[in-house]
Amino acid sequence: MRRSAVLLATAILVAQAYAQTPVPASERAGFGTIQQADIRRDLTYISSDELAGRMSLQPGDEQAIQWIADQFKTAGLQPIVRDASGKPTYLQPITLIGFRPDRAASTVSLTRAGKTTVWHAPEAFGAYKRAVDVTAPMAFAGFGITAPELGYDDYATIDVRGKIVLIFDHEPQEDDPHSIFNGTGNTRYATARVKILNAQNHGAVAVVIVAEPNRKHLTNGERAARIGPVARRAVPLPAQAIQDDEIKIPSAQVLDPVAKELFATSERTPAAAQTAIDGDLKPQSRLLPDTTLTLHLRNTEEHTGVTENVVALLPGSDPKLAAETILISGHHDHDGFAPCADPAHPPVSVPPDPHPCPQIWHGADDNGSGTVGVVTLARAFAANPVKPKRSVLFVVFASEERGLLGSYWLAAHPLRPLATTRAQINFDMIGRDEAASPQTDGLIEIPKDTTNRLNLIGALYAPEYDRTIKEENKAIGLVLDDRFDHENALNAFFRSDQFPFVLHNVPAIWWFTGFHPDYHHTTDTVDKIDFVKMQKILQLAYLTTWQIGTEAKTPSFVANPAGNTKR
């Protein structure tokens, strides 16, 4: 036998020696190609200084995009995108607007009784891809949610056409384990993007969001601040937005004192309004008398650029079922690099960075691990002589760090029908052992031993998919964890690229090994990756894809994971 064949046979025997149940013979060849040495080699490259942190619209990320496309081509997978000349390609282009909000020049102004009150950041701040001025009367629309399957609609009793809408962040009753809003977890209505689109669909011209006044958790800004302290950038990260996004109206955020002032002509305080909504889930929406607001949003910089999702297809082997799709995804971008403003006094970072100049956000775990995971599985399925009956679409998304932009674009412009997409396996940070960090301290309990633990996020919307994972895990032996489906402080459910597909009723789960102190720091480096666990996660994903790709009954999507539980 050739040496490569001997190594492959040995790898298969070793893998099955540790497995609790055997891998089916038809799947073994591909299973055996999932090797730690290959994963380490690829992840070392993707997170190297050469790629300079893979910032969206920067050369390092463009280099990563080309590397992924080359791997798909070498594996023999099909390109299914057509470029402007009609030629097949692995690259789905997305035009983005990069911009830097001018917090000093941007204002939110209240006009009432002939007087004007002007707020700046941090009391009130907004960001929009273009400079914009909007002036309109105000309305309060509760949590800004329209959820027909839950029998809940904050807009049922109010017409907000031509209004600026004030809404609470998050969801009603979020501390009630019996709430129709997924108990103590998040539903797909909790995120700002969904709320802004809903307000737009009801005719609003802008949205203002305030954290729930009776909250028992940190605001999003407070939570984000706890990720630091980090090595400081001489120039802050730019914002990005899809040029032709479905969101067409601007938004702003305000702090509690501003919201209280906006409510001053109403017969209720914000806290009283939330208490009433939480009490019986009846709308408390109302016009805010003599309350006209102006959003004056400015940017110091605006420019356009093109990035790409990298997409490849493994056609299914069954003539009928090949029209159906399993999506395996991750994202290729991270937070880039920054030169030292003063080389004589390099920045201090926590955790300490052994190479502080220039600063490079290596993103080995986030999301070099997911990028390499998708490529590894693409090779595994391509190498297996037998193919699943259903087709497998491999996608590495663009610009996740700037707001899930690549996945929102593909969900809005699918390359294969979402109605026949049977499951999505999304890899985002699958390379580390979860550990306590300032971001999570006091917000979620972390088990003492996470060396063999995998978090599954979104399983409540796809219980049959979840059961398939658990069944296939009998051959792998990971500890599977659903804690993030039952918390609402970290907003994990809508922080990765599975979420845009949940909005389209696709059974989609984020595979995630958890947060750690190096999250979004320059110290997220390849030497800290747990390659043993990462290999097992990819083996489990391989087996799960096979099962969903061949079984007669596919996972269904559950629109209301909490059911109609009564309080």
Side-chain angles (χ1 to χ4, degrees):
M1 295 177 68
R2 295 178 59 187
R3 183 173 181 271
S4 58
V6 172
L7 290 174
L8 176 60
T10 302
I12 293 171
L13 291 173
V14 170
Q16 293 200 43
Y18 286 97
Q20 298 174 18
T21 57
V23 175
S26 61
E27 303 170 21
R28 289 177 192 166
F31 185 90
T33 68
I34 303 171
Q35 293 298 307
Q36 292 178 42
D38 297 332
I39 297 168
R40 183 187 298 271
R41 178 198 65 223
D42 292 341
L43 189 46
T44 298
Y45 172 70
I46 282 292
S47 61
S48 66
D49 289 0
E50 180 182 347
L51 271 63
R54 310 186 308 280
M55 169 71 75
S56 177
L57 300 182
Q58 295 296 322
D61 193 39
E62 294 169 5
Q63 191 171 336
I65 289 168
Q66 190 57 57
W67 180 83
I68 298 162
D70 289 344
Q71 304 313 304
F72 286 163
K73 180 178 180 180
T74 300
L77 299 179
Q78 292 185 5
I80 63 168
V81 183
R82 297 279 176 175
D83 65 17
S85 66
K87 181 180 177 181
T89 176
Y90 295 100
L91 306 181
Q92 182 189 36
I94 311 159
T95 301
L96 302 181
I97 296 177
F99 61 102
R100 296 184 187 276
D102 189 339
R103 290 168 72 93
S106 299
T107 59
V108 175
S109 305
L110 166 66
T111 301
R112 176 182 289 153
K115 296 177 59 177
T116 299
T117 303
V118 180
W119 293 287
H120 294 81
E123 289 82 13
F125 53 94
Y128 194 61
K129 58 193 174 187
R130 299 293 190 198
V132 66
D133 289 286
V134 179
T135 299
M138 288 206 77
F140 170 65
F143 285 84
I145 292 172
T146 299
E149 72 275 18
L150 304 181
Y152 182 92
D153 187 1
D154 281 308
Y155 291 93
T157 60
I158 192 170
D159 183 354
V160 300
R161 285 175 291 183
K163 306 291 193 303
I164 295 176
V165 174
L166 174 67
I167 57 177
F168 294 146
D169 197 9
H170 280 225
E171 297 174 310
Q173 300 181 338
E174 66 181 6
D175 297 313
D176 182 352
H178 302 295
S179 171
I180 61 172
F181 286 93
N182 191 24
T184 58
N186 289 135
T187 75
R188 52 185 174 168
Y189 299 105
T191 182
R193 181 181 175 90
V194 173
K195 293 170 184 269
I196 294 167
L197 279 172
N198 192 35
Q200 177 178 292
N201 292 338
H202 281 89
V205 295
V207 173
V208 174
I209 301 174
V210 64
E212 324 88 286
N214 302 330
R215 61 191 176 274
K216 297 180 181 179
H217 58 77
L218 302 175
T219 67
N220 290 333
E222 290 166 341
R223 174 186 53 77
R226 288 177 62 174
I227 297 174
V230 300
R232 301 299 178 190
R233 292 176 183 264
V235 179
L237 274 170
Q240 293 177 357
I242 299 169
Q243 178 176 262
D244 298 320
D245 194 15
E246 55 188 333
I247 289 181
K248 309 297 183 184
I249 62 174
S251 62
Q253 300 177 54
V254 300
L255 299 185
D256 294 324
V258 176
K260 188 174 181 180
E261 181 64 23
L262 296 176
F263 255 79
T265 57
S266 175
E267 64 270 23
R268 281 187 168 170
T269 63
Q274 183 187 350
T275 298
I277 296 171
D278 286 345
D280 58 14
L281 296 180
K282 300 298 183 184
Q284 298 297 314
S285 305
R286 63 199 63 209
L287 299 177
L288 299 177
D290 192 21
T291 304
T292 298
L293 207 68
T294 297
L295 302 187
H296 174 81
L297 305 181
R298 293 293 182 269
N299 299 319
T300 61
E301 175 187 334
E302 296 174 4
H303 65 275
T304 59
V306 177
T307 186
E308 291 99 0
N309 293 328
V310 194
V311 188
L313 180 70
L314 180 86
S317 60
D318 184 277
K320 293 183 178 180
L321 296 182
E324 302 178 12
T325 308
I326 300 166
L327 179 59
I328 297 178
S329 66
H331 72 87
H332 52 70
D333 67 304
H334 194 53
D335 284 347
F337 78 101
C340 290
D342 181 2
H345 299 88
V348 176
S349 67
V350 179
D353 185 349
H355 305 290
C357 290
Q359 299 165 260
I360 298 176
W361 280 257
H362 298 87
D365 189 28
D366 186 12
N367 185 34
S369 63
T371 296
V372 171
V374 175
V375 168
T376 299
L377 288 188
R379 292 180 186 138
F381 280 99
N384 204 76
V386 182
K387 310 303 182 191
K389 294 180 179 179
R390 296 180 174 89
S391 297
V392 183
L393 191 68
F394 299 92
V395 184
V396 189
F397 293 115
S399 201
E400 187 269 356
E401 300 290 0
R402 310 278 74 81
L404 317 186
L405 303 184
S407 51
Y408 275 121
W409 183 257
L410 182 62
H413 303 84
L415 298 171
R416 289 173 64 86
L418 297 184
T420 51
T421 299
R422 301 308 182 197
Q424 179 189 15
I425 293 174
N426 183 59
F427 299 135
D428 196 346
M429 299 174 61
I430 56 168
R432 292 286 295 270
D433 298 331
E434 188 175 356
S437 68
Q439 182 185 194
T440 56
D441 288 346
L443 300 181
I444 194 166
E445 183 179 352
I446 298 175
K448 291 182 179 180
D449 183 3
T450 61
T451 56
N452 196 44
R453 187 174 294 266
L454 171 66
N455 301 292
L456 300 174
I457 300 177
L460 293 175
Y461 280 91
E464 294 164 342
Y465 173 9
D466 183 47
R467 284 195 291 273
T468 297
I469 297 173
K470 291 173 179 174
E471 181 63 28
E472 296 306 310
N473 190 46
K474 293 176 181 178
I476 304 299
L478 287 161
V479 177
L480 304 179
D481 193 322
D482 68 350
R483 284 170 299 133
F484 288 95
D485 272 349
H486 303 281
E487 65 83 30
N488 52 56
L490 291 165
N491 300 335
F493 177 47
F494 39 84
R495 286 173 63 179
S496 191
D497 288 313
Q498 94 292 345
F499 184 71
F501 298 89
V502 172
L503 296 179
H504 289 269
N505 297 339
V506 173
I509 294 179
W510 171 12
W511 297 44
F512 174 51
T513 50
F515 298 106
H516 46 75
D518 299 297
Y519 172 70
H520 278 215
H521 287 65
T522 58
T523 50
D524 179 9
T525 48
V526 71
D527 55 296
K528 298 174 183 177
I529 295 295
D530 184 341
F531 287 101
V532 174
K533 184 165 71 173
M534 188 171 165
Q535 179 190 33
K536 294 172 71 174
I537 290 169
L538 296 178
Q539 289 171 336
L540 175 58
Y542 177 83
L543 298 177
T544 299
T545 302
W546 261 105
Q547 184 62 20
I548 297 174
T550 56
E551 63 187 355
K553 187 177 185 302
T554 54
S556 58
F557 181 85
V558 177
N560 178 10
N564 292 314
T565 303
K566 294 184 178 181
R567 303 185 65 217

